[in-house]
Amino acid sequence: YELSERYTNLTNVLFLTFYYATIFPAGYFFAALTMAVHYQTDKYCLLRIWSPAPKIGTKLSKFCRVFVMISLVVLALVSSYYVAGFPFDNACEGNQVPSQYIGDFDAVDGDGNKVSVSIDAKENTFHYCDMDMQRYRPPVFPAWASNQPEGKEWMDQDQANISWLFGWTSIATVVLVG
């Protein structure tokens, strides 16, 4: 019976759940199921299989509480950047299609087959824009719409509003926990 191993399993599940919560919200349900299974198996083993645990101090539980608080800060920060970086395709909508590209054309696909392509003036163009605000140099915090590079904005008003909310939440979490 190793209490440190039990705490390690708990914090591992909790941290991974928090880290990926924004892009995989169902992870909370998987984490709850995982923790319930851990609880039941540990309870069974503690009462039926393992010998009595040695007396230990409170240092491990205090460290676990600190780790959970740090995990909450990571949850707030990572969620803020994930919401701001959505849809993660690095493609920003551009202007109108240049006139030399409007019309019917023949192209070759990846298998060497000839295909017909028709482009009209109503089509959208896209250009590269870096949506990963975590990697910006100098670093930007919080991940708000106002921190997008000029001319390479990708957020619509709804995304800007939700990233503003997540940004303030991350600031509040850092201040309260820190």
Side-chain angles (χ1 to χ4, degrees), residues 1 27 34 45 56 69 74 86-87 106 129 139 155 160 166 177:
Y1 175 75
T34 301
C45 290
I56 58 173
M69 291 301 186
V74 170
F86 187 80
D106 290 327
C129 60
M155 290 188 205
F166 271 81
V177 174

Side-chain angles (χ1 to χ4, degrees), residues 26-86:
Y28 285 117
F29 297 111
F30 289 116
L33 179 66
T34 301
M35 288 183 191
V37 169
H38 277 283
Y39 172 77
Q40 291 299 326
T41 55
D42 288 349
K43 179 180 171 184
Y44 177 81
C45 290
L46 189 61
L47 296 174
R48 310 269 176 160
I49 298 174
W50 293 329
S51 61
K55 302 290 183 198
I56 58 173
T58 60
K59 188 187 287 187
L60 185 60
S61 63
K62 288 179 183 177
F63 176 76
C64 186
R65 274 187 240 133
V66 169
F67 186 82
V68 168
M69 291 301 186
I70 292 170
S71 296
L72 286 172
V73 170
V74 170
L75 167 67
L77 292 173
V78 169
S79 295
S80 174
Y81 285 105
Y82 277 165
V83 166
F86 187 80

Side-chain angles (χ1 to χ4, degrees), residues 132-149:
D132 190 0
M133 290 181 147
Q134 290 177 342
R135 299 183 192 276
Y136 283 1
R137 297 296 174 248
V140 296
F141 177 77
W144 283 336
S146 60
N147 288 332
Q148 298 176 93

Side-chain angles (χ1 to χ4, degrees), residues 2-178:
E2 291 290 330
L3 187 60
S4 59
E5 186 178 334
R6 312 278 56 99
Y7 271 116
T8 302
N9 290 342
L10 170 81
T11 56
N12 182 25
V13 170
L14 193 65
F15 185 78
L16 288 175
T17 301
F18 284 173
Y19 190 83
Y20 293 108
T22 306
I23 59 175
F24 187 61
Y28 285 117
F29 297 111
F30 289 116
L33 179 66
T34 301
M35 288 183 191
V37 169
H38 277 283
Y39 172 77
Q40 291 299 326
T41 55
D42 288 349
K43 179 180 171 184
Y44 177 81
C45 290
L46 189 61
L47 296 174
R48 310 269 176 160
I49 298 174
W50 293 329
S51 61
K55 302 290 183 198
I56 58 173
T58 60
K59 188 187 287 187
L60 185 60
S61 63
K62 288 179 183 177
F63 176 76
C64 186
R65 274 187 240 133
V66 169
F67 186 82
V68 168
M69 291 301 186
I70 292 170
S71 296
L72 286 172
V73 170
V74 170
L75 167 67
L77 292 173
V78 169
S79 295
S80 174
Y81 285 105
Y82 277 165
V83 166
F86 187 80
F88 311 109
D89 60 1
N90 292 333
C92 291
E93 196 165 347
N95 299 326
Q96 293 179 334
V97 177
S99 60
Q100 67 264 27
Y101 295 118
I102 296 173
D104 296 323
F105 302 95
D106 290 327
V108 178
D109 67 8
D111 295 328
N113 302 322
K114 208 174 204 183
V115 293
S116 295
V117 178
S118 179
I119 301 173
D120 63 36
K122 296 177 185 175
E123 299 287 336
N124 292 332
T125 62
F126 292 89
H127 62 274
Y128 174 80
C129 60
D130 188 7
M131 295 179 174
D132 190 0
M133 290 181 147
Q134 290 177 342
R135 299 183 192 276
Y136 283 1
R137 297 296 174 248
V140 296
F141 177 77
W144 283 336
S146 60
N147 288 332
Q148 298 176 93
E150 193 168 327
K152 295 187 177 185
E153 296 89 359
W154 67 89
M155 290 188 205
D156 61 9
Q157 190 57 45
D158 290 335
Q159 185 177 1
N161 291 340
I162 197 74
S163 69
W164 179 85
L165 179 67
F166 271 81
W168 275 111
T169 303
S170 66
I171 290 170
T173 306
V174 169
V175 168
L176 291 174
V177 174

